[in-house]
Amino acid sequence: MKAIAVQPGAGGPDVVSRPVPEPAPGEALVRIHRVGVDGTDYEVIEGTHGGVPDGDDRLVLGHEAVGVVEDPNGTGLEAGQYVVPTVRRPPPGVETNDYFERGDPDMAPEGEYVERGIVGAHGFMAEYVTSPAAYLVPIPDELAPWGFLVEPISITEKAIEHARASRSAFDWRPESALVLGTGALGLLTAAMFTETLGYERVYCLGRKDRPHPTIDIVERLGATYVDSRETPVDEVAAAYEPMDVVYEATGHATHAFESIDALAPNGVAALLGVPTDWTFEIDGGRLHRDLVLSNKALVGSVNSNRRHFEAAIDTLAALPDWLLESIVTGIYGLDEIERAFPSATAPAATTDGGSGVGPDDDTTIKTAVEFMPI
Ligand code: NDP
Ligand code: ZN
């Protein structure tokens, strides 16, 4: 079978040949339909995040997948059922650990998990994959074409759950939200705030000139576009309003701290970005004081668990088609993977703590690779 693999830090991804995997007891064989590409894939390609499985020099990419059960192998799944695989698995040679047993693999510390397609385990960019049935989440047939968006949506389901939990000790009534970043994660999250979470006022911060498709999406959602070049994050509260929630999806490290200024009293900022090292000056005393005296919270969040995938499937069903069609700017077959990874062969280093890779033409928002048409 064909798969898409990469040698991290040594160039772009290639189509390789691999044997069709045999499902072990408890595992099903899944034929992959589509797999999404995101910023994390570029970090893996560049070699700044993740890594190959022990004993291998290449990693099969892909962690945002949807496929169809080819062989249930006695697991209780049904042949022909569409499924979305979750990403974390126990480390090699370990059947389970406390985090996986409790259903909280997303809370496992480093060393207590691998992530398929990211770190220590091959991913889903292959014609066939196997997985324990417990990590395969059924998705209705009509949502399968967009099923590769379930994983990124699940990232926000988790982050919002944790942000809310941090405010659960009092009668919190959030109305305003600021999303930092107009990449796929930022736009999907802005849509969740306006369409499914019911926030009254939503703002989305980017750094694009008008006219731009991402600004059109933000405005069609009824949200307000904020240009960070005119209004930096720490000036948003004064220029617009102090925010009940900030959701950081830029990976721009100063934003984590500037978010404290953007928050209203009692607000919470969820931090999602994964920047490289970057040293800069902040007035730590002032920010510390503000966090304390205004009851503010900062919550870091990574990955997601099966519950978040299930919630994400409901969210996906509620998001309008125009939005999904606008965010997914291209779906490509194996014969044109360079279009699915437009900047993978020419990563540009940055000095601002960002990953330096990402879609290189200005209109690509999110792409996917199609292994099998429906
Ligand atoms: P993208 O790279 O597609 O999006 C990042 C966006 O942030 C881009 O639109 C970029 O703008 C924008 N941006 C960066 N710096 C600034 C700035 N100073 N002002 C305004 N906008 C800025 O990534 P994704 O949407 O896929 O992911 C977002 C972040 O979340 C990444 O850091 C990623 O690593 C992280 N992530 C974290 C996960 C987790 O579990 N915690 C899971 C998935 C992703 P431009 O296009 O102009 O560069
Ligand atoms: Zn992803």
Side-chain angles (χ1 to χ4, degrees), residues 33-34 66 82 84 138-150 310 312-319 321 324 374:
H33 169 42
R34 290 175 172 173
V66 56
Y82 282 96
V84 173
I139 180 171
D141 292 5
E142 64 275 14
L143 293 178
W146 299 116
F148 60 90
L149 295 174
V150 168
E310 287 165 353
I313 289 170
D314 292 341
T315 296
L316 179 64
L319 293 178
D321 283 346
L324 308 178
I374 287 185

Side-chain angles (χ1 to χ4, degrees), residues 38 40 63-64 151-152:
D38 81 345
T40 305
H63 61 277
E64 304 179 350
E151 194 274 344

Side-chain angles (χ1 to χ4, degrees), residues 37-40 42-43 63-64 151-152 155 180-187 205-208 212 214 225-229 233 247-252 254-255 271-275 300-304 352 354-355 357-359 362 364-366:
V37 175
D38 81 345
T40 305
Y42 287 106
E43 291 161 13
H63 61 277
E64 304 179 350
E151 194 274 344
I155 296 296
L180 308 180
T182 52
L185 191 61
L187 291 173
L205 175 133
R207 54 179 177 189
K208 304 288 191 202
H212 195 273
T214 57
Y225 176 69
V226 178
D227 189 326
S228 72
R229 297 165 301 179
V233 175
Y247 182 101
E248 179 271 317
T250 55
H252 194 80
T254 60
H255 286 172
L271 309 179
L272 279 290
V274 187
S301 181
V302 69
N303 192 249
S304 53
D352 65 358
S355 71
V357 287
D362 199 41
T364 298
I365 302 175
K366 186 166 193 75

Side-chain angles (χ1 to χ4, degrees), residues 297-309:
L298 294 182
V299 178
S301 181
V302 69
N303 192 249
S304 53
N305 66 41
R306 188 180 171 111
R307 263 189 312 107
H308 305 122
F309 274 67

